[in-house]
Amino acid sequence: MLTLQYMPHHEFAQLSMSEKISKILKYVKEGNILLIEGRLDPLEESELIKRTMEIITKDFKGVEIASIDYSPKKNSLFEKIKKDLGNFLLKRRPGLTIVGPATIVKEIRKDPKRIELLTMDNKKNKR
Amino acid sequence: MIKGLGSFFRGIFGAFGSKKRVKLGFYGPPNAGKSSLANRIAKDWLGEEFTTASAIPHETREVIIKEKVTIKSKGKELTFNLVDTPGIATKIDYEDFIKHKMNAKEAKDRAKEATKGVIEAIKWLDQVDCVLVVLDSTQNPYSQVNITIIGNLAARDIPVLIVANKSDLRKADIKRVEAAFPQYPTIGVSALKGTNMDEFYEQLFKLVKR
């Protein structure tokens, strides 16, 4: 059975970078797939990779991660400034981040419009 | 603020362009051809390779530097320190190495070294002047690792040239790589065969000027 753990923006945004990474890795190491409201910034993503590498064992082989940016691209300048200011004040990066353990999520295939999450069983069935 | 300072110092050092050695980082996912490209450049300008390339993932597990590589293009000359980094990945499974005919101990050792290599590669992001992001043009460019690497370089305001490698292969799709990262220049090459290298060197010089 797969467990999807949802993490709302208000719960996540107040944490420091280190706390965010610790929280993600704690859930993922327990075998959960995390759905985080919002996106990690690039420095948080690279820190997540670094911290993941530090704890890799023969049982925990790392993470699969993908983020989607669903902010509309064709806003007017005024709309864009308004949204950017709102996101800045709320420390929000609109979108969705999916993180799962590499032992369960074999691959997250991504193109600009969709995400395919392939789990171990899925992949076996495909063969 | 930090971004601004980075540009400021790059601008000042740019004025002494001919004296300064440019630290050129090779970044990308495993098996994209970073070491092959670094070797191609070293071979073109020094007549010798300096790093090991192989079909087995994570062949490069520590940062390897080749100093003082002078490249000429269109009558101009620049000297680089080539910084070949281990491939960045979010997961490393020792069993993948067993598929490449390693025994369990060798595979586990390699996996452990590979994790350290990824950490080292990320740490080196703060020390390079400009970066070649080397991608396998036969693979989907929209991977999180690619996005994370490019996002980190953008956050540090480091000039980037995307190298869509393996352009000689039937499945290569340079346009797809270009479309994935339209904010950066992209050049298709085959590092192994040395295809399109003159054009690559021209783009490299433009990158350093930025």
Side-chain angles (χ1 to χ4, degrees):
Chain A
M1 187 181 71
L2 281 178
T3 306
L4 293 176
Q5 177 82 36
Y6 176 66
M7 199 171 285
H9 170 74
H10 65 83
E11 207 178 286
F12 200 63
Q14 305 309 321
L15 303 175
S16 68
M17 177 160 81
S18 179
E19 287 167 336
K20 283 180 190 173
I21 308 298
S22 299
K23 196 157 195 167
I24 291 171
L25 288 175
K26 177 184 173 288
Y27 280 116
V28 171
K29 274 196 88 176
E30 287 167 359
N32 300 305
I33 296 173
L34 261 181
L35 294 177
I36 303 166
E37 184 188 3
R39 287 175 299 137
L40 299 177
D41 71 37
L43 300 180
E44 288 169 342
E45 287 170 0
S46 60
E47 188 61 24
L48 174 62
I49 294 176
K50 262 164 68 182
R51 296 261 303 267
T52 300
M53 289 298 124
E54 287 166 3
I55 57 171
I56 280 185
T57 61
K58 73 178 173 61
D59 299 317
F60 179 69
K61 293 170 178 174
V63 298
E64 271 290 345
I65 173 170
S67 56
I68 322 170
D69 175 5
Y70 56 65
S71 53
K73 303 277 184 220
K74 287 181 182 171
N75 275 338
S76 68
L77 184 63
F78 175 69
E79 279 294 313
K80 190 176 167 6
I81 291 170
K82 200 169 80 176
K83 276 215 161 83
D84 287 351
L85 186 65
N87 289 334
F88 175 74
L89 293 174
L90 294 169
K91 294 186 188 171
R92 189 170 56 195
R93 285 171 56 82
L96 186 71
T97 303
I98 304 170
V99 194
T103 35
I104 294 172
V105 184
K106 285 300 281 184
E107 198 180 348
I108 301 179
R109 281 188 200 155
K110 193 166 131 179
D111 73 22
K113 288 179 185 162
R114 65 175 180 181
I115 274 189
E116 287 175 1
L117 197 128
L118 303 178
T119 60
M120 288 269 273
D121 289 336
N122 243 345
K123 220 172 185 191
K124 276 176 195 164
N125 290 341
K126 280 197 160 192
R127 278 176 192 155
Chain B
M1 175 72 177
I2 291 170
K3 205 171 169 175
L5 280 176
S7 301
F8 174 72
F9 283 117
R10 251 193 294 283
I12 287 187
F13 286 122
F16 304 100
S18 59
K19 297 269 170 80
K20 189 192 171 240
R21 277 192 221 161
V22 181
K23 261 186 249 164
L24 179 65
F26 293 70
Y27 275 87
N31 262 126
K34 296 175 292 301
S35 299
S36 298
L37 181 63
N39 276 336
R40 167 62 56 189
I41 296 171
K43 211 170 174 183
D44 282 353
W45 301 100
L46 300 174
E48 60 181 20
E49 297 184 345
F50 74 103
T51 179
T52 318
S54 119
I56 307 172
H58 300 285
E59 180 67 29
T60 307
R61 299 184 294 286
E62 55 186 22
V63 171
I64 299 168
I65 302 167
K66 185 74 182 175
E67 294 192 330
K68 219 176 167 185
V69 180
T70 301
I71 298 176
K72 292 173 189 166
S73 177
K74 292 198 163 175
K76 289 176 187 163
E77 193 177 293
L78 277 172
T79 302
F80 293 87
N81 287 346
L82 307 184
V83 183
D84 184 23
T85 70
I88 294 180
T90 59
K91 57 183 178 182
I92 292 171
D93 185 351
Y94 78 95
E95 288 176 23
D96 289 342
F97 301 125
I98 291 176
K99 288 174 199 157
H100 288 275
K101 295 178 182 171
M102 287 184 191
N103 66 40
K105 189 186 177 308
E106 283 170 340
K108 283 177 188 165
D109 287 348
R110 193 183 182 98
K112 192 157 196 165
E113 287 169 13
T115 60
K116 288 180 186 161
V118 174
I119 295 169
E120 202 188 346
I122 292 172
K123 285 181 181 166
W124 262 85
L125 281 168
D126 290 317
Q127 295 179 59
V128 287
D129 299 316
C130 49
V131 165
L132 303 173
V133 175
V134 184
L135 303 180
D136 180 342
S137 61
T138 68
Q139 302 288 318
N140 179 3
Y142 297 99
S143 78
Q144 192 61 39
V145 162
N146 296 348
I147 291 163
T148 299
I149 294 170
I150 287 171
N152 269 269
L153 294 166
R156 290 167 169 85
D157 199 23
I158 296 173
V160 169
L161 172 62
I162 296 181
V163 182
N165 191 25
K166 310 190 187 182
S167 63
D168 55 313
L169 299 182
R170 200 172 46 83
K171 284 185 179 172
D173 190 344
I174 313 292
K175 291 231 176 307
R176 187 168 60 159
V177 178
E178 276 172 1
F181 306 106
Q183 68 274 43
Y184 292 110
T186 300
I187 176 100
V189 303
S190 166
L192 210 59
K193 295 192 173 167
T195 314
N196 210 23
M197 290 305 288
D198 286 342
E199 181 99 359
F200 164 79
Y201 291 123
E202 263 183 55
Q203 289 284 340
L204 179 61
F205 272 56
K206 284 183 193 164
L207 177 75
V208 176
K209 272 190 195 167
R210 256 174 231 140

